[in-house]
């Protein structure tokens, strides 16, 4: 074979070898591409599987969270159903025919102006048990002529507080009541008397507490030219025994800076209380309760010395609750026992009718104007007009002679009754609902233009209700403060 042929053959062989190498490389590449595709497909399958599993786990978690939220909400509703929130007004004043000032207390569960808060304390009976309580907070409310809230303020404290009454002074307002001064009072259910001064915008200027026997509160304030009087009670805590002679019903005179000028007291140191006070030319007369069912009238001179004491047997456990003076007579809102029935042990089975006691200024009973039924009835307050007496309170009776009575067993209904000055019933009206109502105070309202033209009067009353009133007002459980406006015939005009 020639050299050229050998060279050509070698070239052919090299070409075949290169082709085989290329084919082998291409096959390797092809095989590698298939592996990569398989790997990618497997990765995709694994990702999709993991994604499905994560989705299922996510759905399960959301379901668990939703169930927990439903359970938590159900538990919240159960807890809420066991808590009764309180909001009430005890007194109202017409301030110079310009606006109204009202005093009361609230848990502020439904308030637009203040926030609720809770506190904890150790139970005094069950060792180791911690009680969580929504604080009942004192509230002072300023209302305009249309009964719209101008402000609603409270007294900041760590525990409970309450205002029973408030009045205007030259540079602001003074509210009186009681509060839990320190934690140890919670377990023994005692309080300190409380006086708070506010400016005209509702800002606290100063506060004072008062204590004698361990459980003290102030019920009423009477503004004088040189200061103000407060009345209330200071009694022993439950189960405490003693013979301290400075407790029971208390009366204290302060100057306008909150300094005590004089003080005195009278009544049992386990139950005595003064609920109201009226000024005379030669002193003051305070009314309340001495022992369990003994109404109490005590006169003090202008320096606080006790002049006389009179009792009425038997009132209900609240006693004489409000007093007004007209034509040298005292008119006192209360209730009194009308039953002579006794149990097997000889104790009276009490039955109370709402009444107005009429006394002269020497403390002698002149008359009793009353209205009642088969169960418990009482007047909490009264208003003396030129031609009639307006009394208001509540009834639990089924057969009391009231117009539009809406009797519900074991429930109370608010009532307003007018008497002439001979004790005859003139008009009456009932404020009632599905559960409980009570009316606590009433005043002549700020005269409207129509009142001035027609020489008429309208009235504003305050109290509370836990009835459902309309679709969104009330829930048949919690107590709501009520401000009501009535016309001369005591037809309800407005309700807030």
């Amino acid at each position: 074979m020639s050299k050229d042929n050998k060279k050509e053959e070698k070239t052919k062989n090299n070409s075949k070898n290169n082709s085989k190498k290329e084919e082998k490389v291409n096959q390797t590449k092809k095989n590698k591409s298939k592996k990569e595709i398989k790997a990618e497909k497997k990765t995709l399958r694994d990702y999709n599987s993991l994604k499905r599993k994560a989705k299922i786990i996510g759905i399960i978690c959301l379901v668990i969270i939703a169930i927990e939220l439903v359970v938590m909400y159900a538990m919240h509703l159960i807890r809420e159903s066991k808590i009764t929130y309180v909001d009430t007004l005890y007194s109202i004043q017409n301030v110079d025919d310009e606006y109204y000032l009202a005093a009361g207390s609230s848990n502020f569960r439904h308030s637009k102006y203040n926030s609720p808060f809770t506190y904890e304390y150790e139970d005094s009976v069950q060792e180791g048990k911690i009680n969580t309580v929504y604080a009942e907070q004192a509230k002072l409310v300023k209302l305009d002529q249309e009964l719209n809230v101008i402000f609603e303020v409270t007294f900041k404290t760590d525990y409970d507080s309450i205002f029973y009454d408030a009045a205007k002074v030259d540079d602001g307002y003074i509210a009186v009541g009681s509060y839990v001064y320190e934690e140890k009072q919670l377990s023994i259910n005692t309080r300190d008397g409380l006086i708070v001064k506010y400016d005209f915008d509702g800002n606290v200027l100063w506060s004072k507490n008062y204590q004698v026997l361990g459980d003290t509160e102030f019920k009423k304030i009477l503004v004088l030219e040189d200061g103000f009087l407060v009345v209330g009670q200071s009694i022993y805590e439950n189960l405490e025994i003693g013979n301290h002679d400075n407790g029971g019903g208390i009366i204290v005179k302060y100057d306008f800076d909150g300094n005590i000028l004089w003080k005195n007291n009278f009544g049992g140191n386990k139950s005595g209380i003064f609920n109201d006070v009226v000024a005379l030319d030669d002193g003051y007369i305070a009314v309340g309760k001495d022992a369990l069912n003994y109404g109490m009238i005590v006169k003090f001179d202008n320096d606080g010395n006790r002049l006389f004491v009179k009792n009425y047997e038997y009132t209900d456990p609240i006693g004489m609750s409000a007093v007004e003076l007209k034509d040298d007579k005292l008119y006192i809102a209360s209730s009194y026992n009308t039953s002579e029935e006794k149990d097997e042990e000889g104790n009276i089975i009490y039955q109370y009718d709402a009444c107005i006691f009429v006394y002269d200024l020497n403390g002698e009973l002149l008359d009793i104007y009353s209205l009642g039924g088969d169960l418990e009835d009482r007047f909490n307050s009264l208003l003396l007009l030129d031609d009639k007496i307006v009394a208001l309170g509540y009834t639990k009776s089924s057969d009391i002679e009231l117009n539009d009575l809406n009797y519900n067993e074991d429930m109370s209904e608010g009532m307003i009754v007018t008497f002439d000055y001979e004790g005859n019933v003139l008009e009456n009206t009932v404020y009632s609902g599905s559960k409980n109502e009570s009316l606590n105070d009433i005043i002549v309202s700020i005269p409207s233009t129509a009142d001035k033209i027609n020489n008429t009067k309208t009235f504003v009353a305050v109290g509370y209700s836990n009835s459902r009133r309309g679709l969104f007002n009330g829930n048949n459980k919690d107590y709501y403060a009520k401000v009501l406006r009535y016309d001369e015939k005591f037809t309800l005009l407005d309700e807030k």
Side-chain angles (χ1 to χ4, degrees), residues 1-14:
M1 185 180 291
S2 65
K3 288 184 179 179
D4 290 336
N5 289 335
K6 288 181 179 179
K7 190 174 182 181
E8 186 178 343
E9 183 69 24
K10 188 177 181 180
T11 300
K12 287 180 179 179
N13 291 334
N14 287 338

Side-chain angles (χ1 to χ4, degrees), residues 285 297 308 328-330 358-366:
I285 288 182
I297 301 173
F308 69 69
D328 293 331
K329 293 180 182 178
L330 301 170
V358 185
Y359 280 83
D360 66 21
L361 298 186
N362 294 316
E364 300 302 322
L365 181 63
L366 301 177

Side-chain angles (χ1 to χ4, degrees), residues 124-125 185 187-191 213-215 235-242 269-270:
S124 61
V125 178
Q185 291 178 301
S187 60
I188 57 177
N189 195 29
T190 63
R191 291 169 171 255
L213 296 188
D215 189 14
I235 58 176
Y236 285 124
E237 65 188 69
N238 190 32
L239 301 180
E240 185 177 0
I241 298 174
N269 54 30
K270 293 290 289 184

Side-chain angles (χ1 to χ4, degrees), residues 367-379:
D367 210 339
I368 300 176
Y369 306 159
S370 65
L371 183 68
D374 56 344
L375 293 174
E376 178 185 344
D377 315 293
R378 89 171 330 268
F379 291 138

Side-chain angles (χ1 to χ4, degrees), residues 187-442:
S187 60
I188 57 177
N189 195 29
T190 63
R191 291 169 171 255
D192 277 24
L194 175 64
I195 302 174
V196 184
K197 185 171 183 181
Y198 295 85
D199 65 19
F200 288 122
D201 294 319
N203 301 302
V204 175
L205 299 177
W206 52 256
S207 64
K208 305 282 183 178
N209 66 313
Y210 185 85
Q211 189 61 268
V212 180
L213 296 188
D215 189 14
T216 302
E217 61 182 357
F218 291 130
K219 302 289 285 187
K220 282 288 182 178
I221 179 173
L222 177 64
V223 177
L224 309 170
E225 290 184 359
D226 58 345
F228 59 93
L229 278 181
V230 290
V231 295
Q233 77 173 165
S234 189
I235 58 176
Y236 285 124
E237 65 188 69
N238 190 32
L239 301 180
E240 185 177 0
I241 298 174
N243 56 3
H244 202 297
D245 59 2
N246 290 330
I250 55 174
I251 179 169
V252 187
K253 184 176 180 180
Y254 288 86
D255 66 21
F256 287 115
D257 294 319
N259 302 305
I260 294 175
L261 300 177
W262 55 256
K263 58 185 177 180
N264 209 333
N265 68 290
F266 188 81
N269 54 30
K270 293 290 289 184
S271 59
I273 186 170
F274 290 139
N275 290 314
D276 199 4
V277 62
V278 66
L280 309 174
D281 291 337
D282 59 345
Y284 312 98
I285 288 182
V287 302
K289 183 195 67 169
D290 188 356
L292 180 61
N293 296 89
Y294 280 71
M296 179 170 64
I297 301 173
V298 183
K299 183 174 182 180
F300 300 90
D301 67 20
N302 287 313
D303 296 318
N305 301 302
R306 189 167 61 245
L307 299 178
F308 69 69
V309 177
K310 302 289 183 177
N311 290 111
Y312 180 86
E313 185 181 16
Y314 299 97
T315 65
D316 69 3
I318 296 174
M320 298 175 171
S321 54
V323 58
E324 295 289 341
L325 175 66
K326 181 178 174 62
D327 298 331
D328 293 331
K329 293 180 182 178
L330 301 170
Y331 295 85
I332 303 170
S334 186
S335 73
Y336 75 118
N337 175 54
T338 59
S339 171
E340 296 181 358
E341 186 179 356
K342 296 183 179 180
D343 61 21
E344 295 178 355
E345 298 178 354
N347 299 313
I348 295 175
I349 301 175
Y350 294 105
Q351 180 176 315
Y352 301 112
D353 281 3
C355 77
I356 299 171
F357 293 112
V358 185
Y359 280 83
D360 66 21
L361 298 186
N362 294 316
E364 300 302 322
L365 181 63
L366 301 177
D367 210 339
I368 300 176
Y369 306 159
S370 65
L371 183 68
D374 56 344
L375 293 174
E376 178 185 344
D377 315 293
R378 89 171 330 268
F379 291 138
N380 292 322
S381 188
L382 75 169
L383 178 65
L384 304 184
L385 305 176
D386 291 337
D387 58 342
K388 60 188 173 184
I389 305 167
V390 183
L392 83 170
Y394 65 84
T395 177
K396 293 185 177 180
S397 295
S398 63
D399 61 346
I400 190 170
E401 295 182 6
L402 294 172
N403 298 325
D404 302 319
L405 184 68
N406 182 30
Y407 175 73
N408 290 298
E409 187 175 0
D410 298 325
M411 304 296 176
S412 63
E413 298 178 70
M415 65 174 176
I416 301 176
V417 182
T418 64
F419 297 84
D420 64 22
Y421 281 93
E422 300 300 318
N424 302 302
V425 174
L426 301 176
E427 304 114 352
N428 66 76
T429 188
V430 171
Y431 179 70
S432 64
S434 56
K435 296 196 78 173
N436 291 288
E437 280 77 27
S438 180
L439 301 179
N440 296 328
D441 198 11
I442 189 166

